[in-house]
Amino acid sequence: MSIIYWLDEINSKVYPDVGQKAYTLSQVKQKGYPVVTGLVISSYLLEEFLTQSSLNRLLTDWTDIDFHDHQALQTFAQQSRQIILNGTFPSDWLTTIFNAVTNLPDTPIKLTPSVSVFDSLEWDDLLSPQFSPHHQESLAEGIKKIWAELFRAKILWLLQQRQLNLSQVKLAILLQPYQTPLVSGVTSLDSDTITIETTWGDELALSWGEVLPDCYRFNSRTRVLESHQLGNKLIAYRLNHNGNGLERYLLCGEQQTSYSLNEQQLQDLQGLCLALGNDFTSIRLFSWTLTESQFQITQVKPYLIAVESNPNLIIQGLAASAGQAIAPAQVILEDEQHYQAIPPKQILVFNHLTPDYLPLLKKASGIITETGGLTSHGAIIARELGIPAIVGVPQATQLIPTGTLVKIDGNTGTISFPSSFESKPELELSIPLPNYPISTQLFVNISQLETLDLASHLPVDGVGLLRLEFFFLELLQQRSLITWLNNYQGELQEYLQHFLETICQSFPDKPIFYRSLNWESLELNKYLIEVKNNLQIREILFKIQLETILELTRYKQYQINLLLPFIRSLEEFKHYYQLVEKSRILKQTSLEVWIMAEVPSVIFLLPEYVAAGVQGISIGTNDLTRFLLGINREETLSNSELTGKNLAVKKAIQKLIKSAQKLNIPCAICGQIPVEY
């Protein structure tokens, strides 16, 4: 195994040996972009260094440390770093490295950590770079100082908290010749704006927040400079006279009061930005320096990941829907319009997932989202479709390139990257059933006809929640709701009747609790923005639903009950109840009118609701939890207190059940809480 790699020669096969930062810079450099020439010391060297006899205990003692004992952790960290710093650097390694360094310009060397670990935390930024004069002993000391950085108490503690061990962290070191730049800066890119922040000297003043940088904003489409603001730059950093570190100095008056880039330099940098963004579409930010000769790219974010050659790399998210799948990844951007062109049987990768994507999900092998929790739209849809899903994976759309072979495990929340298709089992939804009598009635929740074959064969007492949102979303892919109601109202009612009747036929002689269209869950849908606050449209659609239920209950004798969602006040319930009475459905059928108990006001006013006509409640635990605890269902939460196990949620459910018992009405419970807990 090689212990050094030149930036010009690095490929994906050596990715773990060179780390994310160096690999990314190598790919940018090999595309012809200005990156200072350099070489990388392989992560293999640190592993070998630690396995020497005098250092072996760092690996064995790691698991014995009590990370809650801060003093013990500090002691272990200090002793570990001292062992590394006092260790003898093998002469054959040093000779090989220095012989390579002699091919670099004869200036001091900057040593930059380059970590390879599949985790959302940017570990490189936690490890400090080092500087070394151009001779062997100083170079060896600089290398050991970077290795010792890995054993600082805060780093060890973070590794333990994120359930990573030392063997999973590959620490390589990038060596590049260094001279103090005239100007340095950071550029961020998005679809509309290029933002450039600059300061004099080394970028350390900028990264440490010791200056307010000059700021320039360009329109990325028109290339017009839309704004610029002079910063507050009093100090800067430059290489010290020993060549082994940076020193802080006071800028002269002229530099303090002038912009750090002139018009021509800005134009050159803008051209570099646009070209880089076109060649690497995932890039959102890059750092650079300006020497007397040209701009040089020093860092690119997010890092380019060579997942195809690293089957042992794993990304961790939240397991949201059980099952496993292996398929090519397909990243879905927010402005993606050509869903029809996306082939079936892909693992779809989203930033966030809304119900609008339902037609696309129906042909997917699995789902990955950057945001969302167990009650997010993506999680719910995936469970209903019976496909594996993992949510809450930071930067998934950037870390997983389209076309990369991906394996997801919806049971454990892990994403890995096999080198080829493995033999995979047929995906089956496994539902453990009790082998003893239970007194509680069990119902299923349904929104997709595709799930009927499985659900109808389960030993259940009926459908406890028939959701209409996904059904309507599919219709809205064809034409807008206003067009449906103005020109195709009869056809719309026929579609709805067929949908309901198909489900009723799958559960003969069993009750169906039909939840009328929940506008709250459709708020983000682009097809409904035009009618979001149109109460007349809502009432027309509600009456169509009532007419359909009347047709199926009166003439075809199906047992359908009405469940009203997201009821916030007595007045709101009374309004809808009057519409139900006007339809004469209550006089002609045995239909019962229930409400979802998902808004906290129902907890305190249930007797009044029953007096107004409510005949039963279904506790919607997903929304009840988010309203009680002030959380967003699309938010990924690691705080275990903000879940259905929270005491406030338990007490709310308890009060609803006891109130229902006292009022002698039935009470059901649905959502993720009964599934998880």
Side-chain angles (χ1 to χ4, degrees):
M1 178 180 293
S2 178
I3 65 172
I4 60 170
Y5 299 94
W6 289 94
L7 285 180
D8 293 324
E9 301 170 350
I10 290 173
N11 57 43
S12 61
K13 294 180 180 179
V14 300
Y15 171 80
D17 299 330
V18 300
Q20 296 172 334
K21 178 179 290 186
Y23 175 78
T24 301
L25 283 176
S26 74
Q27 301 309 293
V28 171
K29 182 175 175 58
Q30 290 171 34
K31 276 275 190 176
Y33 288 94
V35 174
V36 176
T37 187
L39 57 94
V40 181
I41 299 175
S42 171
S43 61
Y44 164 77
L45 254 67
L46 175 58
E47 297 172 14
E48 287 296 302
F49 193 67
L50 293 179
T51 53
Q52 295 182 44
S53 58
S54 61
L55 301 167
N56 194 48
R57 76 167 187 82
L58 292 184
L59 301 177
T60 57
D61 290 359
W62 163 266
T63 55
D64 298 330
I65 299 298
D66 180 4
F67 286 87
H68 298 291
D69 186 339
H70 292 181
Q71 185 173 357
L73 178 58
Q74 285 284 1
T75 300
F76 175 77
Q78 290 171 3
Q79 292 176 350
S80 301
R81 292 202 310 277
Q82 206 57 48
I83 289 174
I84 291 176
L85 294 173
N86 292 338
T88 301
F89 201 96
S91 59
D92 55 334
W93 294 359
L94 187 56
T95 299
T96 301
I97 294 169
F98 192 72
N99 285 341
V101 168
T102 57
N103 293 306
L104 299 175
D106 189 12
T107 66
I109 302 297
K110 183 176 182 180
L111 297 87
T112 306
S114 181
V115 177
S116 172
V117 53
F118 235 104
D119 185 64
S120 59
L121 191 63
E122 295 182 346
W123 293 91
D124 290 325
D125 295 339
L126 300 176
L127 306 177
S128 301
Q130 300 293 325
F131 294 85
S132 167
H134 208 285
H135 57 74
Q136 293 193 40
E137 291 73 16
S138 297
L139 194 59
E141 289 303 307
I143 293 170
K144 290 193 293 182
K145 284 180 180 178
I146 287 186
W147 287 346
E149 283 279 307
L150 191 58
F151 290 87
R152 292 197 176 277
K154 69 175 181 181
I155 303 296
L156 298 175
W157 184 85
L158 281 170
L159 288 170
Q160 193 273 341
Q161 290 296 304
R162 302 177 83 83
Q163 298 181 338
L164 295 167
N165 57 53
L166 285 171
S167 65
Q168 292 175 279
V169 181
K170 309 294 185 181
L171 174 56
I173 303 175
L174 172 62
L175 275 58
Q176 293 171 296
Y178 180 85
Q179 57 178 318
T180 302
L182 299 174
V183 182
S184 59
V186 176
T187 298
S188 58
L189 312 171
D190 63 36
S191 57
D192 300 315
T193 307
I194 298 173
T195 303
I196 300 171
E197 296 181 338
T198 70
T199 191
W200 299 105
D202 190 87
E203 61 187 343
L204 187 62
L206 192 57
S207 60
W208 281 11
E210 294 185 309
V211 297
L212 184 65
D214 300 335
C215 184
Y216 312 85
R217 287 188 174 86
F218 287 88
N219 183 303
S220 56
R221 292 188 171 89
T222 64
R223 304 193 181 191
V224 173
L225 178 62
E226 296 182 333
S227 67
H228 56 90
Q229 184 174 358
L230 182 66
N232 184 8
K233 311 179 297 297
L234 299 178
I235 60 100
Y237 282 87
R238 64 190 175 197
L239 194 67
N240 63 27
H241 70 279
N242 293 322
N244 60 0
L246 298 177
E247 62 180 13
R248 194 170 182 259
Y249 69 98
L250 186 68
L251 288 168
C252 68
E254 182 181 353
Q255 287 180 308
Q256 291 182 25
T257 57
S258 62
Y259 282 96
S260 44
L261 291 179
N262 60 38
E263 186 175 345
Q264 183 59 53
Q265 290 166 342
L266 268 177
Q267 290 181 5
D268 292 344
L269 182 57
Q270 183 196 56
L272 178 61
C273 295
L274 294 171
L276 191 63
N278 287 333
D279 278 342
F280 299 92
T281 56
S282 65
I283 289 178
R284 297 291 176 266
L285 179 148
F286 72 94
S287 302
W288 49 267
T289 60
L290 174 63
T291 62
E292 293 181 356
S293 56
Q294 65 172 349
F295 286 98
Q296 296 283 354
I297 296 172
T298 58
Q299 181 167 257
V300 172
K301 294 288 186 71
Y303 294 131
L304 304 177
I305 310 298
V307 295
E308 70 277 3
S309 63
N310 295 277
N312 296 324
L313 294 177
I314 292 176
I315 302 177
Q316 186 68 46
L318 295 177
S321 180
Q324 294 182 349
I326 302 173
Q330 174 67 55
V331 176
I332 307 296
L333 301 177
E334 290 185 17
D335 57 354
E336 182 72 59
Q337 297 296 322
H338 306 292
Y339 299 147
Q340 300 86 345
I342 295 175
K345 302 300 181 182
Q346 307 282 295
I347 291 176
L348 305 180
V349 187
F350 299 88
N351 171 262
H352 67 278
L353 182 58
T354 66
D356 298 349
Y357 292 106
L358 181 62
L360 190 59
L361 300 181
K362 284 190 172 184
K363 58 182 184 179
S365 291
I367 301 170
I368 300 169
T369 67
E370 293 183 337
T371 61
L374 298 180
T375 60
S376 62
H377 289 298
I380 292 172
I381 295 172
R383 288 194 290 268
E384 290 218 15
L385 295 176
I387 59 176
I390 299 173
V391 299
V393 184
Q395 297 184 321
T397 57
Q398 299 167 14
L399 294 176
I400 306 173
T402 291
T404 303
L405 192 62
V406 173
K407 177 180 180 180
I408 66 173
D409 189 332
N411 304 299
T412 62
T414 56
I415 305 166
S416 55
F417 304 91
S419 56
S420 61
F421 278 100
E422 303 172 10
S423 175
K424 60 176 182 176
E426 289 294 320
L427 294 179
E428 293 184 1
L429 187 58
S430 175
I431 301 179
L433 299 174
N435 56 7
Y436 51 85
I438 56 174
S439 59
T440 301
Q441 288 183 305
L442 295 180
F443 291 77
V444 291
N445 292 357
I446 286 181
S447 68
Q448 302 292 311
L449 295 181
E450 287 85 351
T451 62
L452 280 181
D453 186 54
L454 171 66
S456 62
H457 291 88
L458 296 174
V460 295
D461 297 289
V463 177
L465 180 62
L466 173 55
R467 295 201 301 270
L468 262 289
E469 291 73 48
F470 299 151
F471 165 77
F472 272 99
L473 285 173
E474 290 193 86
L475 292 182
L476 294 177
Q477 300 280 341
Q478 303 175 28
R479 52 180 70 101
S480 72
L481 183 57
I482 294 224
T483 304
W484 275 110
L485 295 180
N486 288 342
N487 304 316
Y488 301 93
Q489 196 171 126
E491 188 178 342
L492 173 63
Q493 188 165 341
E494 287 179 10
Y495 277 128
L496 179 58
Q497 182 170 327
H498 171 73
F499 179 80
L500 288 180
E501 188 168 9
T502 302
I503 293 172
C504 291
Q505 289 171 345
S506 298
F507 296 89
D509 303 320
K510 292 181 179 179
I512 309 291
F513 286 83
Y514 169 88
R515 190 179 76 180
S516 59
L517 186 63
N518 185 357
W519 290 85
E520 169 69 14
S521 70
L522 294 175
E523 275 190 351
L524 299 176
N525 182 260
K526 58 188 176 185
Y527 300 105
L528 294 176
I529 292 176
E530 57 184 328
V531 295
K532 179 181 178 182
N533 298 312
N534 191 319
L535 297 180
Q536 183 181 7
I537 292 291
R538 292 191 181 202
E539 286 192 10
I540 292 173
L541 201 53
F542 186 66
K543 290 175 182 177
I544 290 175
Q545 295 174 78
L546 291 178
E547 291 171 6
T548 305
I549 294 173
L550 178 60
E551 177 73 20
L552 293 175
T553 52
R554 182 181 178 187
Y555 298 107
K556 300 199 175 183
Q557 304 298 307
Y558 292 121
Q559 298 180 43
I560 302 177
N561 297 306
L562 180 62
L563 189 54
L564 299 176
F566 205 68
I567 296 296
R568 295 166 290 188
S569 68
L570 274 171
E571 291 71 22
E572 202 166 46
F573 171 74
K574 288 177 180 178
H575 173 72
Y576 282 105
Y577 194 74
Q578 287 174 358
L579 295 177
V580 174
E581 287 183 315
K582 287 180 182 179
S583 72
R584 305 183 64 83
I585 193 172
L586 295 178
K587 292 184 178 180
Q588 300 184 39
T589 71
S590 59
L591 173 138
E592 294 182 359
V593 179
W594 288 32
I595 62 170
M596 296 293 299
E598 54 193 351
V599 178
S601 59
V602 178
I603 301 170
F604 307 102
L605 297 177
L606 189 56
E608 287 82 352
Y609 278 109
V610 172
V614 169
Q615 295 169 276
I617 62 171
S618 181
I619 303 174
T621 61
N622 292 347
D623 280 331
L624 184 63
T625 300
R626 75 180 178 113
F627 290 131
L628 281 171
L629 302 180
I631 58 178
N632 184 335
R633 69 160 65 197
E634 298 302 323
E635 183 180 2
T636 304
L637 292 171
S638 57
N639 187 340
S640 61
E641 293 301 312
L642 299 179
T643 69
K645 293 187 291 185
N646 187 282
L647 184 60
V649 179
K650 292 180 180 179
K651 287 193 171 185
I653 293 173
Q654 181 187 51
K655 183 172 178 60
L656 284 168
I657 293 173
K658 287 189 174 182
S659 296
Q661 291 173 336
K662 185 176 181 180
L663 295 165
N664 197 31
I665 63 168
C667 174
I669 186 169
C670 66
Q672 195 61 16
I673 285 180
V675 174
E676 290 293 310
Y677 312 119

